[in-house]
Amino acid sequence: MTAETLPTETLPLTPVRRVPRGARHLITPTAVAAALIALYMWVGTLELDSIEQRSLNRAVILAKTVEHLQMTLAATALVVLIAIPLGVAASRARNRLIAPVILTLGNLGQAVPCIGLLVLCTFLMGVGFQTALVGLVAYAVLPVLRNTMVGVQQVDPALIEAARGMGMTRGQILRRVELKLAVPAILAGLRTALVLTVGVATLGAFVAAGGFGELIINGLKLNRMPVTIVGGVLTACVAFFIDWLGSLAENLLKPRGI
């Protein structure tokens, strides 16, 4: 029997099972819920002393959650109001001389260590919520600024010319064409800024702004590891949950066909 007449075996094709899109969206919240339940059950098995009981009770944890979310959401709102207009301005060809200045200012927040930035803000403004807010905004503005610039600059010039041919003004082209097509890039930068803000907001405890950072720092200072672990796990769960909400917003707000 020659090589040409050797029988060839055909292996059966196994179908690839894909996870439904709706099920994929439920993975993150399910994992977060499981982590919180496991944390609650673990703390319930511990014999907490009086110091740990003062930190790990429902009222304190709820208050720290509200403080942390307030810092995160307020800083993100200010970042959107500051970074998107600056990113649009820096993306214009007529502003190419000031674009490096805008990027340099946006880089300052991440060039300086965050704890150092908070110390500088403390010297200028004292301690409190506003001081932490300034530090968070300075630290989180760069991803949104950069992604806004990239998103607007990547719009096809042919589409802009077509919009001009239809009689649209510069403002209408920006709102109806450029910003709409730049939405995926802007939202990706916003998701990054949100996750950064959740993590860095723990340093707000150093300037008396509250949040989960107080649990982490108090646990370290008093050598109470359960308190530190609870603060760290809650911070991570909030970061994952907010990132999941950002992914949903990306899917809902991006233009069709992109």
Side-chain angles (χ1 to χ4, degrees):
M1 185 179 291
T2 61
E4 290 78 0
T5 60
L6 288 174
T8 57
E9 296 183 358
T10 58
L11 297 176
L13 297 177
T14 57
V16 178
R17 295 182 179 179
R18 296 184 179 180
V19 179
R21 182 173 299 180
R24 289 202 302 269
H25 288 317
L26 295 177
I27 293 176
T28 297
T30 302
V32 169
L36 292 175
I37 292 172
L39 179 67
Y40 179 79
M41 294 177 63
W42 174 70
V43 173
T45 62
L46 301 177
E47 295 183 2
L48 303 178
D49 58 26
S50 59
I51 296 176
E52 293 169 341
Q53 289 176 2
R54 283 198 295 270
S55 298
L56 300 180
N57 60 74
R58 185 176 302 176
V60 171
I61 290 177
L62 180 60
K64 299 310 172 188
T65 302
V66 171
E67 291 170 356
H68 207 92
L69 290 177
Q70 283 178 340
M71 280 191 288
T72 300
L73 297 179
T76 303
L78 290 175
V79 165
V80 170
L81 293 176
I82 294 170
I84 292 180
L86 287 178
V88 171
S91 67
R92 306 288 92 176
R94 61 180 179 273
N95 295 332
R96 60 182 179 274
L97 294 179
I98 65 171
V101 178
I102 294 175
L103 282 175
T104 300
L105 293 175
N107 277 310
L108 284 178
Q110 295 205 356
V112 179
C114 189
I115 188 65
L117 186 61
L118 287 176
V119 170
L120 292 176
C121 293
T122 302
F123 285 136
L124 297 175
M125 304 172 59
V127 297
F129 180 82
Q130 294 180 348
T131 302
L133 200 60
V134 171
L136 291 175
V137 170
Y139 192 78
V141 75
L142 181 61
V144 182
L145 172 63
R146 173 72 72 177
N147 280 39
T148 301
M149 286 182 59
V150 172
V152 173
Q153 289 173 344
Q154 286 182 346
V155 176
D156 191 347
L159 296 176
I160 298 176
E161 290 298 325
R164 288 199 187 104
M166 295 172 62
M168 289 188 183
T169 63
R170 288 182 178 178
Q172 290 174 330
I173 294 173
L174 176 62
R175 293 191 305 272
R176 299 181 182 180
V177 179
E178 293 178 293
L179 284 180
K180 281 191 175 182
L181 293 176
V183 161
I186 295 173
L187 289 178
L190 188 58
R191 283 179 64 184
T192 303
L194 273 168
V195 175
L196 284 174
T197 305
V198 171
V200 176
T202 56
L203 299 179
F206 288 107
V207 293
F212 294 137
E214 285 193 1
L215 296 176
I216 297 172
I217 294 170
N218 289 338
L220 291 174
K221 288 193 303 184
L222 302 174
N223 195 24
R224 296 299 192 277
M225 287 308 296
V227 180
T228 302
I229 292 172
V230 168
V233 172
L234 290 177
T235 303
C237 288
V238 170
F240 278 113
F241 187 73
I242 286 182
D243 182 67
W244 172 73
L245 292 178
S247 68
L248 293 182
E250 276 190 85
N251 292 329
L252 291 175
L253 297 178
K254 70 179 181 181
R256 294 182 179 179
I258 294 183

